[in-house]
C-alpha cells in the first residue's frame, strides 16, 4: 500500500490522501483548503492525479475541510462511489450545495472587481449544481459494518465522536501474504460531548494516520465547569431585561448549544425564554440531526425516548428562515436567546443581532468556538469597547463571554489517553491535520513515548508501507505555500463565507425599507427605475 499526502500536511485544512494498492487507487477525504490566500489557492490547482482513475473515496466526515473538494473531483471526471456514514450523507446533501453556492458568490464578487480592472474573469471551483450532482455518489454505511469497496480491501467505519456522523476508518488489506490494518483517525472527538458518542476505543493498527490539531496544547477551559456559568449568564441577562446573543457555527455547534439549553431548562437552571435559531443552514442541519437517532449517545437517546422529541428541538424554539423574519428579531428587547451564524461574528445575520444588542449593557454575548485573529469575535473577546458593524460605530456595553471548554477535537492530553488504550500500537504513524509546530512536536512526542516511528509528512510526500520507505514526492513541496500563522479554525472558515450573501441580502433589504419608509416619491421612482434596469 502506497500513501501520498495531498492535504492537511503540516497544516490543518485540505485533508486528502491518495492510496494505491494492487492497481486500485482510492482517496481518503477530499477536503477544501481554508484560511489564508496561499492556502486557498491550492483549491484552484489541478489534482496531481486523474480523478477518472480513482476507484472510490472513503470520507471521514462532512466538514468542508474534509469533503469540500468532492464536487471538484466529480466535475473533473470522478463518477465512482463515496463511502461515508449515513448521517454524513444527509449532511453532505445540504453542506456541499451550500459550499458550491459560496464558491459562485465569491467568484462573482471577485469578477466584478476583475471586470472593472479589465482582467480575465475567474471560474468557481465548482457550482451548487456540481455539488448536487455529486451527492448521489455518496453511499451511506453504518458504524462497525464491514464492506469491501474493491477486491482485497475491506473497510470498517467506527465512531470518531467528533461531529454528527464522523468516522475513523479501519482499512484491512493483504500485503506479501500478511494481513495488514491501516487506520485513519479523521478528526478525533472527545468524551462527554453533547449528542455524539465518545470516540471508539481503537485497540490495534499496523499503520495510522492521526490528526494533530491540538498536538501541542490543551483546551483553555472545561465544558463541565462552563455549563453553570452559561446558565448564570442567561439568568442574569433575562432578569435585567436583556437578550442573550450566541454566534455559532450552523452544523453541530448550534445543535450542541440547543442540547445544553434544553438540559438547563429541564433542570430549571434558567428562566423561561424563547430560543431563536436564525440561520437557514442550522435549521436544515437540526432537522437532519432529528432524523438519525441511531447516532445519539446513550443520554441523548434516553432523553429522546422520555420527551418524545430530540433533546435539541426545544419546546420554545423558533426558527427564523427568511431574512424578513430575521430582521423582526431586531425589535425584541428582552428575554430572547438568539443563536446565529457565523460563529466568529465576522459575517452573516449575527452581525445584525450584535449591532442591535452590543450597545445595551443589559445584554450578553457568548462565544463557543475558537476566534481567529482579525475577526469581530476576536476583537470582542479581547475586550474592544468600540467596533464597526456594517459601517456603523457601535459601543460595546453588553457583557462578553468566551466559553473555551467547548471543542469538537480531542486536545493533547485526550489524544494521549486515547492512544494509551491501544494493545497493539501501530509501528508507523503519520501526524497530519495540525499546524506545522503542532504536528512536528506531536510526532516527536509520540515517537519518544511509545517507541513508534511517527513522522509529520510534508505536502506531496509519498510513502510505501510495504517497504517502509519514502517514495518520490508527487507534488514538489515548495509549490505549496504553508501558512505562516493559519490558525486551527479549519472547520470555521467556511461558515464565514457562507453567510456573506445572506448579509448582502439583509443590507439591500434594509436600504429598500428605509427608502420606502421615507415616502419620498422622487426617491421611490428612482429606486423603481433602477431596479427595473438591473433586473
Ligand atoms: Zn472536522
Ligand atoms: Zn478537520
Amino acid at each position: 500500500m502506497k500513501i501520498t499526502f495531498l492535504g492537511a500536511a503540516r497544516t490543518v485544512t485540505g485533508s486528502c490522501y491518495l492510496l494505491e494498492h494492487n492497481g486500485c487507487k482510492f482517496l481518503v477525504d477530499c477536503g477544501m483548503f481554508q484560511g489564508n490566500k496561499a492556502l486557498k489557492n491550492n483549491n484552484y490547482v489541478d489534482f496531481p492525479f486523474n480523478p477518472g482513475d480513482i476507484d472510490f473515496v472513503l470520507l471521514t466526515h462532512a466538514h468542508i475541510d474534509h469533503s469540500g473538494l468532492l464536487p471538484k473531483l466529480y466535475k473533473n471526471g470522478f463518477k465512482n462511489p463515496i463511502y461515508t456514514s449515513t448521517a454524513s450523507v444527509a449532511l453532505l446533501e445540504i453542506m456541499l450545495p451550500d459550499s458550491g453556492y459560496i464558491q459562485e458568490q465569491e467568484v462573482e464578487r471577485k469578477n466584478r472587481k476583475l471586470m472593472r480592472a479589465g482582467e480575465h474573469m475567474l471560474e468557481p471551483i465548482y457550482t451548487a449544481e456540481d455539488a448536487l450532482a455529486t451527492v448521489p455518489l455518496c453511499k451511506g454505511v453504518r458504524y462497525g459494518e464491514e464492506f469491501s469497496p474493491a477486491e482485497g480491501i475491506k473497510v470498517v467505519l467506527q465512531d470518531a465522536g467528533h461531529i454528527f456522523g464522523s468516522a475513523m476508518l479501519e482499512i484491512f488489506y493483504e500485503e506479501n501474504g500478511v494481513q495488514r490494518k491501516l487506520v485513519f483517525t479523521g478528526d478525533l472527538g472527545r468524551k462527554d460531548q453533547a449528542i455524539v458518542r465518545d470516540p471508539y476505543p481503537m485497540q490495534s493498527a499496523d499503520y495510522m494516520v492521526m490528526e494533530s490539531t491540538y498536538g501541542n496544547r490543551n483546551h483553555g477551559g472545561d465544558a463541565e465547569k462552563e455549563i453553570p456559568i452559561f446558565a448564570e449568564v442567561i439568568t442574569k441577562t433575562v432578569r435585567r431585561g436583556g437578550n442573550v446573543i450566541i454566534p455559532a457555527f450552523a452544523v453541530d455547534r448550534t445543535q450542541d448549544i440547543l442540547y445544553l439549553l434544553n438540559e438547563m431548562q429541564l433542570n430549571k437552571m434558567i428562566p423561561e425564554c424563547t430560543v431563536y435559531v436564525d440561520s437557514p443552514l442550522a435549521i436544515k442541519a437540526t432537522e437532519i440531526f432529528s432524523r438519525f437517532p441511531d447516532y445519539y449517545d446513550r443520554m441523548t437517546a434516553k432523553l429522546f425516548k422520555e420527551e418524545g422529541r430530540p433533546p435539541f428541538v426545544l419546546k420554545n424554539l423558533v426558527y427564523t428562515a427568511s431574512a424578513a423574519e430575521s430582521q423582526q428579531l431586531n425589535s425584541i428587547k428582552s428575554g430572547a436567546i438568539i443563536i446565529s451564524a457565523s460563529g466568529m461574528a465576522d459575517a452573516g445575520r449575527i452581525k445584525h443581532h450584535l449591532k442591535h444588542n452590543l450597545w445595551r449593557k443589559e445584554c450578553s454575548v457568548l462565544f463557543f468556538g475558537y476566534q481567529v485573529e482579525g475577526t469581530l469575535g476576536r476583537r470582542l473577546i479581547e475586550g474592544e469597547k468600540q467596533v464597526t458593524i456594517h459601517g456603523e460605530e457601535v459601543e460595546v456595553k453588553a457583557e462578553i463571554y468566551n466559553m473555551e471548554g467547548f471543542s469538537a477535537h480531542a486536545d493533547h492530553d485526550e489524544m494521549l489517553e486515547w492512544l494509551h488504550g491501544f494493545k497493539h500500537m501501530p509501528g508507523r504513524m503519520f501526524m497530519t491535520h495540525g499546524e506545522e509546530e503542532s504536528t512536528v512536536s506531536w510526532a516527536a512526542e509520540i515517537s519518544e513515548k511509545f517507541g513508534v516511528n511517527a513522522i509529520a509528512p510534508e505536502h506531496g510526500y509519498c510513502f510505501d508501507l510495504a517497504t517502509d520507505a519514502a517514495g518520490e514526492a508527487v507534488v514538489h513541496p515548495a509549490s505549496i505555500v504553508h501558512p505562516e500563522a493559519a490558525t486551527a479554525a479549519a472547520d470555521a472558515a467556511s461558515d464565514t463565507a457562507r453567510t456573506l450573501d445572506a448579509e448582502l441580502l439583509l443590507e439591500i433589504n434594509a436600504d429598500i425599507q428605509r427608502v420606502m419608509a421615507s415616502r419620498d416619491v422622487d426617491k421611490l421612482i428612482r429606486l423603481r427605475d433602477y431596479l427595473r434596469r438591473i433586473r
Side-chain angles (χ1 to χ4, degrees), residues 60-66 162-163 166 186-187 408-409 433 490-491:
T60 59
H61 64 295
H63 271 150
I64 291 299
D65 64 312
H66 296 257
H162 165 59
I163 63 157
S166 66
D187 287 3
H409 287 271
H433 198 293
D491 307 328

Side-chain angles (χ1 to χ4, degrees), residues 311-326:
F312 42 85
V313 179
L314 319 185
K315 277 191 195 139
N316 49 343
L317 179 65
V318 177
Y319 292 127
T320 49
S322 73
E325 285 172 314
S326 169

